[in-house]
Amino acid sequence: MQEYAGNILVVEDEEPVRELLRLYLEKEGYQVEIAVDGEEALQKVPSRHPDLILLDIMLPKKDGWAVCREIRKQLSIPIIMLTARGEELDRVLGLEMGADDYITKPFSPREMVARVKAVLRRVHQAEEKKDAEVITLPGLIIDNAAKQVEMNGQVFSMPPKEFELLWFLAANPDRVFTREQLLQQVWDYDYLGDPRTVDTHIKRLREKLSAHTGKRYIKTVWGQGYKFEAGN
């Protein structure tokens, strides 16, 4: 018997796609919950506590955008968006609303399973780092409790928002965040300033990290946002 791997909520109104997702996920040991429209999805999330949500965009009653927006107001459950459309605008919009990944139909079931595993692995790694309160990388130690950064053995203090931005990115490695998401996470939802303040803080962080570690940890993903690459 396949070992239990987690609970996945599949929100999809097309039965063939829904059953294909269920089949491949259950083969990998996931328990699969089903919702056939946006309203049912929002009803099931609080009671089922899924580890991840596969969320179609084109849904009856409430579309995937609305469902993702509602979930993100309260919870940080990983969300992978499913859609028949592949335009860049859709991908960017999904990321801005808090989606963790984006799969365009038609897709390979094996690729879908690999994406699910990758997102869950990334989330678990981030949770472990957050719990540890200290992130240790080559030439770089970020101590969230002490609110300080050690670069090649030298301890530095940073302005609060610079440190919070660095910690947030480093605690969520390899995940792309838009400016709007970073403003929400680091500056809070009510921030009314210029979104370009993110660019300014990123530039300062890069300069400091590069000068003292010789590494470029924070990367730009053109047209989408920024991500932290721990392996660089």
Side-chain angles (χ1 to χ4, degrees):
M1 184 176 180
Q2 180 71 35
E3 183 180 352
Y4 173 75
N7 182 18
I8 309 294
L9 175 62
V10 172
V11 189
E12 170 61 66
D13 63 320
E14 296 181 34
E15 185 175 3
V17 178
R18 194 166 64 232
E19 291 309 310
L20 183 67
L21 291 168
R22 184 205 294 272
L23 174 65
Y24 274 83
L25 289 168
E26 288 182 345
K27 279 185 177 180
E28 294 296 323
Y30 295 102
Q31 178 180 322
V32 178
E33 298 282 347
I34 296 295
V36 299
D37 60 59
E39 290 185 358
E40 184 181 4
L42 291 173
Q43 291 169 0
K44 285 193 170 182
V45 167
S47 59
R48 301 295 195 272
H49 304 291
D51 297 298
L52 182 142
I53 302 171
L54 282 169
L55 177 62
D56 189 33
I57 291 178
M58 305 302 291
L59 291 169
K61 298 185 180 179
K62 279 185 183 290
D63 65 24
W65 303 130
V67 173
C68 183
R69 192 182 302 113
E70 288 298 313
I71 291 171
R72 279 291 170 264
K73 287 180 181 178
Q74 303 290 334
L75 302 166
S76 58
I77 299 168
I79 297 173
I80 298 178
M81 305 294 285
L82 302 173
T83 179
R85 298 181 298 178
E87 291 88 351
E88 181 180 357
L89 180 60
D90 284 339
R91 293 195 296 273
V92 173
L93 183 57
L95 291 169
E96 287 180 347
M97 288 188 174
D100 295 83
D101 203 351
Y102 192 102
I103 302 177
T104 303
K105 300 176 185 176
F107 52 83
S108 157
R110 290 182 179 178
E111 179 191 1
M112 177 274 300
V113 170
R115 295 277 195 97
V116 167
K117 289 181 177 179
V119 169
L120 287 173
R121 183 168 57 249
R122 191 168 65 212
V123 169
H124 292 157
Q125 289 172 346
E127 288 174 351
E128 288 173 0
K129 288 184 176 179
K130 288 175 184 175
D131 291 341
E133 289 294 307
V134 176
I135 297 174
T136 303
L137 299 165
L140 177 65
I141 299 174
I142 310 170
D143 188 332
N144 194 36
K147 303 300 180 188
Q148 67 184 23
V149 178
E150 183 178 321
M151 293 183 275
N152 281 333
Q154 187 176 358
V155 176
F156 295 84
S157 294
M158 289 184 174
K161 289 303 177 188
E162 274 187 35
F163 180 87
E164 289 175 32
L165 179 60
L166 176 61
W167 175 262
F168 178 76
L169 288 169
N172 295 277
D174 301 317
R175 176 177 173 183
V176 179
F177 293 96
T178 64
R179 291 184 184 90
E180 289 73 16
Q181 285 177 302
L182 293 173
L183 285 173
Q184 291 173 353
Q185 295 291 335
V186 178
W187 278 263
D188 79 38
Y189 282 90
D190 297 323
Y191 181 78
L192 299 176
D194 189 339
R196 287 175 296 182
T197 191
V198 173
D199 300 336
T200 302
H201 281 72
I202 291 287
K203 181 181 178 181
R204 290 174 183 165
L205 281 174
R206 280 176 170 162
E207 290 172 350
K208 292 175 181 178
L209 292 170
S210 178
H212 297 288
T213 71
K215 298 181 183 295
R216 191 176 176 88
Y217 283 106
I218 302 173
K219 299 295 180 69
T220 299
V221 181
W222 297 109
Q224 297 183 32
Y226 299 103
K227 69 176 179 176
F228 189 94
E229 290 190 352
N232 290 311

